[in-house]
Amino acid sequence: MSNNKAILIVADSERDSNMYYATGFSAPDTFAFIQRSSERFIITSDLELDRAKSQSKADTVLSFSKYERIAKKRNGKATGLIDIVAVALKEMKIIKLQVPANFSIEYADFLRKDGFKLEVKKDPFFDSREVKNDEEKGDIVATLRNTEKALEKAIDCVRKSIVKDGFLFSSRNRQITSESIRNIINVELMKKGCTAKHTIVSCGEQSCEPHNVGHGPLRANESIIFDVFPKDEKTGYYADISRTIVKGKASRRLKKMYKAVASAQELVFKSAGNGISGDTIHRKVMKHLTSLGFKTGKAKGKMQGFFHGTGHGVGLDVHEPPRISKVKCTLQTGNIVTVEPGLYYPGIGGVRLEDMILITDDGCRNLTKSPKVLEV
Amino acid sequence: MSNNKAILIVADSERDSNMYYATGFSAPDTFAFIQRSSERFIITSDLELDRAKSQSKADTVLSFSKYERIAKKRNGKATGLIDIVAVALKEMKIIKLQVPANFSIEYADFLRKDGFKLEVKKDPFFDSREVKNDEEKGDIVATLRNTEKALEKAIDCVRKSIVKDGFLFSSRNRQITSESIRNIINVELMKKGCTAKHTIVSCGEQSCEPHNVGHGPLRANESIIFDVFPKDEKTGYYADISRTIVKGKASRRLKKMYKAVASAQELVFKSAGNGISGDTIHRKVMKHLTSLGFKTGKAKGKMQGFFHGTGHGVGLDVHEPPRISKVKCTLQTGNIVTVEPGLYYPGIGGVRLEDMILITDDGCRNLTKSPKVLEV
């Protein structure tokens, strides 16, 4: 970039993963990041000044108050964050700004009116986020291992449970529910510094809605879907696993669905690799499931079959590019993506299996070690 | 609003609190919310369709796929979310859109080019979010009570600890650290379904940076700041508490700071109420602390004194309007705001006390019950 061009992000880095990626600094309140060539600046409040200096990747950390007086003089009234950022940009003689797709319209309108030229770069804003380096791989696998342990503990509870009248009870005669199992998973993960939100433990009909987190008593002989996707709060990196189990006996149809979903995963493991088209893989998976007799579409006003993507990138966001879906994409070495075909039929139940794979030059490597067993 | 006008939000409701407030529906992926007069629409993927129908507040839930074919025909290529939303808006004959300040520039540019008129409404986007109704008050107080219990458990650990060579140890001779105490708080909260992130347990010099989460061994006779602000994942509502303690003996100067901060809180409790200016209260607090001999400013390149706001609204965001700070604002009945003066002096330590108050017609009510004791 020439000298009057810069990257600009104005966001908080706790929620905005591009901001966290750019700065390596986790802060709850909005601040500004400016990158001119390879020089990185942060402009933040006095409150965060010293912490940003010691914790962020920025070369220079500037304070709002440095520019506040000039900004006040300029517009003759109380100043907001974006007035201050504009003053700083003018001082740096920056005119052209590259901003992310989620850049605030309020800030954009202000800057454009103030003479800046904005170029919006669609996701991925930082191309390098799609290709994980060794540190990132290590961070993701560390979160994955903690997730596997928490999941195993939860599945173990179901395995050891006692069935009475079709419902599950602990050895202490407490009824086992979606909520109680979710709590076990989330608390185990929190002990390791990982926050899990919306952990799915859904049984029977509930498992037919892929994002239904599940509630109420778990039942024997019905599918139970687990989908756990926590973030390690120290590194910021996510992991994502799904497993489906049945306490007791699975129906013939559920077993067939499970086998189909597992074979769809195998198909992806064999197909994925550097330079391979993600949308082609997704279509292959759809075709494979259809060929096994599992139709997708609406029935009685509800979606059934396989009606979500095959996979998505995982990193500082739980869902990030690249996606293995109907949208065009080419996989490349260093991508870490999920492989999560699923089948959902009201009246029978839901099945989803989700592993994480690393794309390599000559194929892919499954990073997930959790066993796959339907009946427990 | 006339019939060609509507509110539009396009975001995910897990991170965007306006979207969650508007829809009552928690979803991890971006979807669209349209409100024309009092009629509320959601447009979402097939994946979330059934869940949105059963869980959201929307009158009508529409699916992307309903508009996808038309959108494809219109622009002759693969369609994104915003193409689909534009088709739906045109079908509804909506032209004028009111969008929140954080509306995506990518979407805004697309819609404007497509002939829509966008009006950006600054925060608070929904004015009613500032005034908590009885259900919201109940939700916030419920989160607060869980926070108080977790905090008490953590303080109890410090209270019962054994001091050796100035460091704290448990009865099992394990060294007590910021990390171990933070873990106790976060795990206790997770047991209650509340996720706490960036919980602060900072000791000595670290406590002089207000947002330093703290790390390493805790020490006797130095200030330890706790700042805990979890979200109840079921209701979505936050709480926020800070306390400062010393295991052993506090220095004379630290005691004086503690007394000053506590008296600054009392000053706010006496001043706050319906119709009262928040910025006037903030200036009063600054003046009060200065009058007690506590100066604010830079010393040896570091900020010291009182260099953050006096308080902020708490609700679906941990920091939301109204703010008791230098920015103009008028408090009103039903606001729930923090009162958190602090003093920070490198070489002495940090002190912050934070309660949550409800603004009432004739003053305010302190919602926080945690005791305030410096030495434990």
Side-chain angles (χ1 to χ4, degrees):
Chain A
M1 286 190 174
S2 84
N3 224 25
N4 70 0
K5 275 188 184 176
I7 285 171
L8 174 68
I9 309 178
V10 184
D12 74 78
S13 52
E14 262 181 33
R15 280 183 289 196
D16 191 295
S17 50
N18 282 329
M19 191 58 148
Y20 183 73
Y21 187 77
T23 61
F25 175 57
S26 184
D29 292 317
T30 306
F31 64 101
F33 168 77
I34 299 165
Q35 181 173 344
R36 182 165 55 181
S37 301
S38 62
E39 210 184 348
R40 290 183 279 201
F41 301 85
I42 281 177
I43 315 179
T44 185
S45 68
D46 287 347
L47 170 56
E48 296 287 26
L49 200 59
D50 294 322
R51 207 168 64 87
K53 280 179 184 170
S54 61
Q55 292 176 15
S56 84
K57 292 189 218 164
D59 304 294
T60 310
V61 178
L62 303 162
S63 120
F64 289 161
S65 51
K66 176 173 155 56
Y67 300 102
E68 209 166 8
R69 213 176 317 156
I70 311 170
K72 239 177 211 164
K73 223 180 244 175
R74 248 185 114 204
N75 66 9
K77 53 173 180 149
T79 51
L81 167 55
I82 199 67
D83 308 66
I84 290 166
V85 171
V87 170
L89 290 168
K90 298 217 168 196
E91 198 183 86
M92 293 177 188
K93 302 200 188 312
I94 291 167
I95 297 163
K96 292 180 187 171
L97 297 166
Q98 190 181 62
V99 299
N102 69 348
F103 195 81
S104 142
I105 185 179
E106 181 193 358
Y107 297 158
D109 284 354
F110 180 93
L111 291 172
R112 281 170 171 163
K113 213 176 148 190
D114 207 14
F116 294 96
K117 300 276 171 234
L118 268 62
E119 179 214 331
V120 182
K121 183 165 189 274
K122 291 196 184 189
D123 280 330
F125 187 65
F126 295 111
D127 297 311
S128 56
R129 271 189 65 185
E130 286 199 22
V131 177
K132 270 66 183 178
N133 64 30
D134 287 344
E135 194 185 337
E136 291 178 294
K137 284 175 204 163
D139 288 342
I140 291 168
V141 169
T143 313
L144 185 57
R145 295 290 165 264
N146 284 326
T147 312
E148 288 167 346
K149 279 178 206 152
L151 176 66
E152 190 48 39
K153 188 161 178 173
I155 290 179
D156 217 47
C157 274
V158 175
R159 186 182 287 125
K160 289 179 178 154
S161 68
I162 299 152
V163 179
K164 288 182 204 170
D165 297 330
F167 293 103
L168 312 190
F169 290 84
S170 74
S171 58
R172 289 179 186 176
N173 209 25
R174 287 219 182 117
Q175 184 150 31
I176 294 177
T177 62
S178 288
E179 289 84 352
S180 67
I181 296 290
R182 176 157 50 244
N183 203 252
I184 288 169
I185 295 171
N186 291 356
V187 168
E188 273 310 294
L189 282 162
M190 190 49 104
K191 285 180 187 169
K192 303 289 166 58
C194 299
T195 48
K197 292 182 169 199
H198 307 282
T199 296
I200 293 172
V201 183
S202 63
C203 179
E205 283 305 287
Q206 293 172 16
S207 72
C208 298
E209 287 176 10
H211 279 184
N212 191 326
V213 295
H215 54 86
L218 296 183
R219 285 179 301 277
N221 312 320
E222 295 195 21
S223 62
I224 304 171
I225 291 184
F226 296 82
D227 192 343
V228 193
F229 42 96
K231 175 184 181 172
D232 185 315
E233 289 298 329
K234 204 168 175 188
T235 65
Y237 284 89
Y238 281 86
D240 198 351
I241 307 182
S242 299
R243 287 293 181 265
T244 303
I245 62 169
V246 170
K247 168 69 183 177
K249 288 283 162 203
S251 69
R252 196 184 49 81
R253 288 195 290 183
L254 211 51
K255 277 184 188 163
K256 214 182 136 198
M257 282 163 63
Y258 193 89
K259 219 174 137 185
V261 169
S263 68
Q265 271 201 316
E266 290 300 327
L267 183 69
V268 182
F269 299 153
K270 273 177 206 151
S271 316
N274 185 42
I276 303 294
S277 143
D279 43 310
T280 304
I281 292 178
H282 179 64
R283 277 194 303 274
K284 260 193 195 175
V285 167
M286 296 205 70
K287 217 169 146 182
H288 175 71
L289 292 171
T290 309
S291 77
L292 293 173
F294 296 102
K295 285 182 188 160
T296 295
K298 247 186 191 165
K300 292 175 192 164
K302 279 218 164 201
M303 287 303 298
Q304 60 171 38
F306 174 49
F307 52 95
H308 54 67
T310 295
H312 54 83
V314 177
L316 291 173
D317 283 316
V318 63
H319 295 161
E320 63 177 39
R323 287 174 187 258
I324 305 181
S325 70
K326 59 185 175 181
V327 178
K328 268 200 187 313
C329 105
T330 304
L331 298 172
Q332 57 181 316
T333 297
N335 292 160
I336 292 183
V337 292
T338 66
V339 177
E340 50 173 316
L343 287 170
Y344 313 87
Y345 291 97
I348 306 172
V351 170
R352 182 164 66 255
L353 294 171
E354 178 182 27
D355 292 338
M356 292 174 73
I357 59 170
L358 170 69
I359 302 298
T360 60
D361 289 343
D362 52 0
C364 71
R365 188 151 60 81
N366 194 341
L367 302 173
T368 306
K369 294 187 175 177
S370 290
K372 287 171 205 164
V373 182
L374 176 59
E375 292 175 341
V376 300
Chain B
M1 283 190 175
S2 84
N3 223 25
N4 69 0
K5 274 188 185 177
I7 285 172
L8 174 69
I9 310 178
V10 184
D12 74 78
S13 52
E14 263 182 33
R15 281 182 287 197
D16 191 294
S17 50
N18 283 328
M19 190 58 147
Y20 182 73
Y21 187 76
T23 62
F25 175 58
S26 184
D29 292 317
T30 306
F31 64 102
F33 168 78
I34 299 165
Q35 181 172 345
R36 181 164 57 181
S37 301
S38 63
E39 210 184 350
R40 290 182 280 198
F41 302 85
I42 280 178
I43 316 179
T44 185
S45 68
D46 287 347
L47 169 57
E48 296 286 28
L49 199 59
D50 295 322
R51 207 167 65 87
K53 280 179 185 170
S54 62
Q55 293 176 13
S56 84
K57 291 188 217 165
D59 304 293
T60 310
V61 178
L62 302 163
S63 120
F64 289 162
S65 50
K66 177 173 154 55
Y67 299 102
E68 210 167 8
R69 213 175 318 156
I70 312 170
K72 240 178 211 164
K73 223 181 242 174
R74 248 184 115 204
N75 67 8
K77 53 173 180 152
T79 50
L81 168 55
I82 198 67
D83 308 66
I84 290 166
V85 171
V87 170
L89 291 168
K90 297 217 168 193
E91 198 183 88
M92 293 178 190
K93 303 202 187 311
I94 291 166
I95 298 163
K96 292 180 186 169
L97 298 165
Q98 190 180 61
V99 300
N102 69 349
F103 195 81
S104 143
I105 183 178
E106 181 193 358
Y107 297 157
D109 284 355
F110 179 93
L111 292 171
R112 280 171 172 163
K113 214 176 147 191
D114 207 13
F116 295 95
K117 300 275 171 236
L118 268 63
E119 179 214 331
V120 182
K121 182 165 189 273
K122 292 197 185 186
D123 281 330
F125 186 66
F126 295 110
D127 297 312
S128 56
R129 272 189 65 184
E130 287 199 22
V131 178
K132 269 68 182 177
N133 64 29
D134 287 344
E135 194 185 338
E136 292 179 293
K137 283 175 205 162
D139 288 341
I140 291 169
V141 169
T143 313
L144 185 58
R145 293 292 167 262
N146 283 326
T147 313
E148 288 167 345
K149 279 177 208 153
L151 177 66
E152 190 47 38
K153 187 161 178 173
I155 290 178
D156 217 47
C157 274
V158 175
R159 187 182 287 124
K160 287 177 180 157
S161 67
I162 299 150
V163 179
K164 288 182 204 171
D165 297 330
F167 293 103
L168 312 189
F169 291 84
S170 74
S171 57
R172 289 178 187 177
N173 208 26
R174 288 221 180 113
Q175 184 150 32
I176 294 175
T177 62
S178 288
E179 289 85 352
S180 67
I181 296 290
R182 175 156 52 243
N183 203 250
I184 288 169
I185 295 171
N186 291 357
V187 169
E188 274 308 294
L189 282 162
M190 190 49 103
K191 286 180 187 168
K192 304 289 167 60
C194 300
T195 49
K197 292 182 169 198
H198 307 281
T199 297
I200 294 172
V201 182
S202 63
C203 179
E205 283 306 285
Q206 293 171 17
S207 72
C208 297
E209 288 177 9
H211 278 184
N212 190 327
V213 294
H215 53 87
L218 297 183
R219 285 178 301 277
N221 311 320
E222 295 194 21
S223 62
I224 304 171
I225 291 184
F226 296 82
D227 192 341
V228 193
F229 42 96
K231 175 183 181 173
D232 186 314
E233 289 298 329
K234 204 167 174 189
T235 65
Y237 284 88
Y238 281 86
D240 198 351
I241 308 182
S242 300
R243 287 292 181 266
T244 304
I245 61 169
V246 170
K247 169 70 184 178
K249 288 284 163 205
S251 68
R252 195 185 49 80
R253 288 195 290 183
L254 211 50
K255 277 184 189 163
K256 214 182 137 200
M257 281 163 64
Y258 193 89
K259 220 174 137 184
V261 169
S263 69
Q265 271 200 317
E266 290 301 326
L267 183 68
V268 181
F269 299 152
K270 273 178 207 152
S271 316
N274 185 41
I276 302 295
S277 144
D279 43 310
T280 304
I281 292 178
H282 179 65
R283 277 193 302 273
K284 260 192 194 176
V285 167
M286 296 205 70
K287 216 169 146 181
H288 175 72
L289 292 171
T290 309
S291 77
L292 293 173
F294 296 102
K295 284 182 190 161
T296 295
K298 248 186 191 167
K300 292 176 191 163
K302 280 217 163 203
M303 287 302 298
Q304 60 171 38
F306 174 49
F307 51 95
H308 55 67
T310 295
H312 55 81
V314 178
L316 291 173
D317 283 315
V318 62
H319 294 160
E320 63 178 39
R323 288 173 186 262
I324 306 180
S325 69
K326 59 185 174 181
V327 178
K328 268 200 187 316
C329 106
T330 304
L331 297 173
Q332 56 181 318
T333 297
N335 291 160
I336 293 184
V337 291
T338 66
V339 178
E340 50 174 314
L343 286 171
Y344 312 88
Y345 291 98
I348 305 172
V351 171
R352 181 164 65 255
L353 294 170
E354 178 181 30
D355 291 339
M356 290 173 74
I357 59 171
L358 171 70
I359 302 298
T360 61
D361 289 344
D362 54 0
C364 69
R365 189 153 59 83
N366 194 343
L367 302 173
T368 306
K369 294 186 174 177
S370 290
K372 287 172 203 163
V373 182
L374 177 59
E375 291 175 342
V376 299

